[in-house]
Amino acid sequence: MENNSLDVNVELNMEISQAGELTHTKIFEPGMLTRVGNSTYLRFNEKLDNDEQAKILLKIADNGEIHLKRVAESTNLASLLYFTNQDHNSGHIETEYGIMPLQTFTRDSQVEILDRPLSGKINIDYDLIYDNNIVGNYKFRLIFKA
């Protein structure tokens, strides 16, 4: 698997609208792009407070489905979300108190990966749903370059 891995630079911009408040997050980190079969994996870290970090793994399947896994060991939080354009998907967040089921509704998703030069864009607009209630609207904009 490591033979198919390439170093990339990742820029992630997130816009989150929750309870009438809008938040923006920007991440600039080195990452690793790996291709296994027909799937592409992108790994990078998100810096948290107190020199801690969350590990991010993004899987892009050949059918266009996107899986987003985020693990922050220092805060005992882990999430796994799935995105399929114009569809609902089940996911979850793991806390020290147990597993909480979540759903996503992907309003729009676009993936573009170029081989020469290696670069790509992953855009996901989605609603995060808990107990049949929308708890937030998200705009996920990721760009990577070798």
Side-chain angles (χ1 to χ4, degrees):
M1 185 162 101
E2 292 304 312
N3 294 342
N4 298 329
S5 297
L6 296 165
D7 292 328
V8 293
N9 290 313
V10 175
E11 177 184 336
L12 174 60
N13 292 297
M14 290 275 298
E15 183 180 291
I16 304 164
S17 175
Q18 284 182 315
E21 289 192 29
L22 192 61
T23 354
H24 294 274
T25 303
K26 289 185 183 231
I27 299 170
F28 298 93
E29 292 291 333
M32 182 73 63
L33 182 91
T34 306
R35 291 196 171 126
V36 178
N38 293 324
S39 296
T40 301
Y41 296 84
L42 183 60
R43 289 174 166 66
F44 61 97
N45 293 325
E46 172 188 356
K47 285 192 174 103
L48 305 173
D49 295 332
N50 302 325
D51 292 328
E52 302 290 338
Q53 61 186 11
K55 295 178 182 178
I56 312 288
L57 173 63
L58 199 65
K59 175 186 177 186
I60 302 119
D62 62 345
N63 65 358
E65 187 173 271
I66 301 167
H67 306 183
L68 177 62
K69 183 177 184 179
R70 182 180 183 273
V71 177
E73 292 176 3
S74 63
T75 59
N76 294 318
L77 286 176
S79 61
L80 183 57
L81 301 176
Y82 299 92
F83 306 98
T84 307
N85 197 34
Q86 291 290 305
D87 206 357
H88 285 89
N89 286 288
S90 295
H92 66 270
I93 186 166
E94 296 175 34
T95 72
E96 58 188 295
Y97 305 108
I99 297 175
M100 189 168 74
L102 297 171
Q103 279 197 319
T104 56
F105 175 71
T106 309
R107 288 179 273 121
D108 188 31
S109 67
Q110 299 171 350
V111 175
E112 180 183 321
I113 299 175
L114 303 173
D115 285 329
R116 295 179 192 264
L118 179 62
S119 62
K121 288 193 282 192
I122 301 161
N123 294 340
I124 310 169
D125 293 346
Y126 67 98
D127 298 329
L128 191 62
I129 302 163
Y130 174 69
D131 198 25
N132 293 320
N133 294 305
I134 296 174
V135 294
N137 308 106
Y138 293 73
K139 290 182 188 251
F140 178 99
R141 303 289 184 264
L142 187 141
I143 299 169
F144 68 86
K145 296 178 184 171

